[in-house]
Short mmCIF file of all heavy atoms in Angstrom, two decimals:
data_model
loop_
_atom_site.label_atom_id
_atom_site.label_comp_id
_atom_site.label_asym_id
_atom_site.label_seq_id
_atom_site.Cartn_x
_atom_site.Cartn_y
_atom_site.Cartn_z
N ARG A 50 84.51 69.76 124.32
CA ARG A 50 84.26 71.06 125.09
C ARG A 50 85.51 71.88 125.00
O ARG A 50 86.63 71.42 124.73
CB ARG A 50 83.96 70.74 126.54
CG ARG A 50 82.52 70.32 126.77
CD ARG A 50 82.19 70.39 128.37
NE ARG A 50 83.35 69.98 129.09
CZ ARG A 50 83.66 68.73 129.39
NH1 ARG A 50 82.92 67.75 128.92
NH2 ARG A 50 84.72 68.49 130.09
N SER A 51 85.27 73.16 125.27
CA SER A 51 86.42 74.11 125.29
C SER A 51 87.37 73.69 126.43
O SER A 51 86.90 73.32 127.49
CB SER A 51 85.88 75.49 125.58
OG SER A 51 86.90 76.37 125.79
N GLY A 52 88.62 73.64 126.08
CA GLY A 52 89.64 73.21 127.10
C GLY A 52 89.88 71.78 127.15
O GLY A 52 90.63 71.24 127.98
N SER A 53 89.23 70.97 126.27
CA SER A 53 89.41 69.51 126.35
C SER A 53 90.69 69.05 125.62
O SER A 53 91.03 67.90 125.71
CB SER A 53 88.19 68.83 125.65
OG SER A 53 88.06 69.28 124.31
N GLY A 54 91.34 69.98 124.89
CA GLY A 54 92.66 69.57 124.33
C GLY A 54 92.66 69.47 122.83
O GLY A 54 93.57 68.92 122.23
N LYS A 55 91.58 70.00 122.16
CA LYS A 55 91.51 69.83 120.76
C LYS A 55 92.64 70.56 120.02
O LYS A 55 93.27 70.02 119.12
CB LYS A 55 90.15 70.37 120.24
CG LYS A 55 88.92 69.75 120.92
CD LYS A 55 87.66 70.28 120.40
CE LYS A 55 87.45 71.83 120.65
NZ LYS A 55 87.32 72.17 122.05
N SER A 56 92.87 71.84 120.40
CA SER A 56 93.91 72.60 119.76
C SER A 56 95.26 71.95 119.97
O SER A 56 96.12 71.90 119.07
CB SER A 56 93.91 74.00 120.29
OG SER A 56 92.79 74.66 119.91
N THR A 57 95.49 71.44 121.19
CA THR A 57 96.72 70.82 121.50
C THR A 57 96.95 69.66 120.52
O THR A 57 98.04 69.50 119.97
CB THR A 57 96.70 70.32 122.95
OG1 THR A 57 96.45 71.42 123.82
CG2 THR A 57 98.01 69.64 123.38
N ASN A 60 97.74 70.84 116.94
CA ASN A 60 99.08 71.43 116.82
C ASN A 60 100.12 70.35 116.83
O ASN A 60 101.17 70.45 116.13
CB ASN A 60 99.35 72.49 117.90
CG ASN A 60 98.74 73.83 117.55
OD1 ASN A 60 99.26 74.51 116.75
ND2 ASN A 60 97.53 74.08 118.07
N GLN A 101 93.49 78.50 115.08
CA GLN A 101 92.31 78.97 115.74
C GLN A 101 92.27 80.47 115.71
O GLN A 101 93.32 81.18 115.80
CB GLN A 101 92.30 78.47 117.23
CG GLN A 101 91.02 78.75 117.98
CD GLN A 101 91.03 77.97 119.32
OE1 GLN A 101 91.76 77.04 119.53
NE2 GLN A 101 90.21 78.48 120.20
N ASP A 181 91.55 74.41 112.88
CA ASP A 181 91.17 74.49 114.31
C ASP A 181 90.01 75.45 114.44
O ASP A 181 90.10 76.70 114.31
CB ASP A 181 92.37 75.06 115.12
CG ASP A 181 92.17 74.81 116.58
OD1 ASP A 181 91.04 74.48 116.97
OD2 ASP A 181 93.20 75.00 117.36
N GLU A 182 88.85 74.93 114.65
CA GLU A 182 87.58 75.67 114.79
C GLU A 182 87.44 76.75 113.67
O GLU A 182 87.32 77.97 114.01
CB GLU A 182 87.49 76.36 116.17
CG GLU A 182 87.53 75.30 117.25
CD GLU A 182 87.15 75.84 118.63
OE1 GLU A 182 86.40 76.84 118.63
OE2 GLU A 182 87.51 75.31 119.63
N VAL A 212 88.52 70.56 113.77
CA VAL A 212 88.01 70.56 115.09
C VAL A 212 86.86 71.61 115.15
O VAL A 212 86.99 72.60 114.53
CB VAL A 212 89.11 70.98 116.05
CG1 VAL A 212 88.62 71.80 117.21
CG2 VAL A 212 89.94 69.81 116.52
N HIS A 214 83.43 73.19 117.72
CA HIS A 214 82.73 73.02 118.99
C HIS A 214 81.29 73.36 118.94
O HIS A 214 80.54 73.17 119.88
CB HIS A 214 83.55 73.66 120.11
CG HIS A 214 83.33 75.13 120.20
ND1 HIS A 214 84.01 75.86 121.16
CD2 HIS A 214 82.64 76.03 119.52
CE1 HIS A 214 83.61 77.13 121.05
NE2 HIS A 214 82.85 77.23 120.02
N ILE B 425 99.10 80.68 118.82
CA ILE B 425 98.06 80.53 117.76
C ILE B 425 96.93 79.59 118.12
O ILE B 425 96.09 79.32 117.35
CB ILE B 425 98.68 79.95 116.43
CG1 ILE B 425 99.32 78.65 116.72
CG2 ILE B 425 99.69 80.93 115.89
CD1 ILE B 425 99.61 77.90 115.43
N MET B 426 96.92 79.22 119.45
CA MET B 426 95.81 78.39 119.87
C MET B 426 94.72 79.18 120.49
O MET B 426 93.65 78.75 120.84
CB MET B 426 96.27 77.32 120.91
CG MET B 426 97.10 76.24 120.19
SD MET B 426 98.07 75.17 121.31
CE MET B 426 96.92 74.65 122.49
N ARG B 427 94.97 80.49 120.58
CA ARG B 427 93.99 81.36 121.18
C ARG B 427 93.00 81.91 120.12
O ARG B 427 93.41 82.29 119.07
CB ARG B 427 94.62 82.55 121.90
CG ARG B 427 95.42 82.06 123.06
CD ARG B 427 95.90 83.26 123.87
NE ARG B 427 97.31 83.22 124.13
CZ ARG B 427 97.87 82.50 125.08
NH1 ARG B 427 97.08 81.75 125.86
NH2 ARG B 427 99.16 82.54 125.31
MG1 MG C 2 91.12 75.40 120.92
#
Side-chain angles (χ1 to χ4, degrees):
Chain A
R50 280 195 325 276
S51 173
S53 58
K55 305 180 298 294
S56 295
T57 303
N60 279 282
Q101 188 170 338
D181 195 349
E182 300 195 25
V212 148
H214 79 181
Chain B
I425 60 163
M426 286 166 51
R427 293 188 231 280

